[in-house]
Amino acid sequence: MIRLLLLIGLFIAPQALAQDFGIPAVSVVSNPDGSQEYSITLQVLALMTALSFIPAIVIMMTSFTRIVIVLSILRQAMGLQQAPSNQIIIGLSLFLSLFIMTPVMDKINANALQPYLNEQITTVVALEQAQLPIREFMLSQTREKDIATFLEISGRDDIKRVEDVPFVILVPAFITSELKTAFQIGFMLFIPFLVLDLVVASVLMAMGMMMLSPMIVSLPFKLMLFVLVDGWSLVMGTLATSFGLGA
């Protein structure tokens, strides 16, 4: 309801100003180089629309998906139910994603945001420049096999270079690659905890304590093992280096 009122205000208020003061409400100006410049009203409307897509952009076009899946699998492998809680996992994933995506955001700030704020480029050019670092990051993390799969599904046979893949194909291919990589890392994290569970279960069965749950006995040992090897630092470092940082 609030968004609807804001949208109505964006259209009604400029029209009233246009009638009283002669200010153009909604206009598109063609530049000599063939590009088009949109009025402030259209720019604000586009910005308000883009804000609603920010959660989807953060989840589907950054490192967030891989990180949150790996941390969730790690919590399950350790046998913990709510420690760390979902809020901590999501918050940690967001800030680690911010750390990993900093080079991409620096390129967007230098090539798109600052020139646009200094009125050196138009809105359309700024959007085109902003998507280039994101596309470069996604392509570097996407397997060519996944891109080929979605190209085949879409029936597009006119794309010869990977750089020409549109976002509607690149995004699902990127998410597919991220899910595969996240489960691969999660599998490697699961193995030592699984081995420890098997050892504890075998010892309890040999001692005749079959009524005692192996999960209860192995939990403190898994926590001790994870702390002794500095597990959190290793996991965070592995996640960061999996995106090419520090290479």
Side-chain angles (χ1 to χ4, degrees), residues 25-157:
V26 178
S27 62
V28 179
V29 180
S30 298
N31 297 321
D33 58 356
S35 61
Q36 292 180 333
E37 181 70 20
Y38 299 93
S39 63
I40 296 298
T41 304
L42 289 178
Q43 294 182 26
V44 173
L45 180 60
L47 178 61
M48 295 294 294
T49 304
L51 289 177
S52 62
F53 287 96
I54 287 181
I57 293 175
V58 171
I59 295 175
M60 298 299 174
M61 300 174 64
T62 66
S63 58
F64 178 83
T65 300
R66 183 188 304 184
I67 297 171
V68 74
I69 291 177
V70 170
L71 294 181
S72 299
I73 293 177
L74 175 62
R75 181 178 64 179
Q76 186 176 0
M78 295 178 64
L80 301 173
Q81 299 298 325
Q82 294 297 329
S85 63
N86 293 331
Q87 291 84 354
I88 295 177
I89 289 180
I90 293 176
L92 184 59
S93 301
L94 284 173
F95 280 98
L96 188 57
S97 298
L98 180 64
F99 170 75
I100 294 174
M101 299 297 295
T102 296
V104 178
M105 292 186 294
D106 290 341
K107 291 181 181 179
I108 294 176
N109 181 63
N111 300 332
L113 181 59
Q114 293 302 324
Y116 174 73
L117 294 178
N118 296 329
E119 298 182 355
Q120 298 175 355
I121 58 176
T122 62
T123 306
V124 176
V125 176
L127 292 175
E128 293 177 352
Q129 292 294 326
Q131 73 176 355
L132 293 179
I134 299 178
R135 173 185 290 273
E136 181 182 356
F137 168 79
M138 295 173 65
L139 285 174
S140 65
Q141 304 298 325
T142 307
R143 296 176 175 86
E144 294 184 2
K145 180 181 178 181
D146 295 327
I147 296 178
T149 299
F150 283 96
L151 284 175
E152 182 180 356
I153 295 174
S154 63
R156 297 287 299 272
D157 55 358

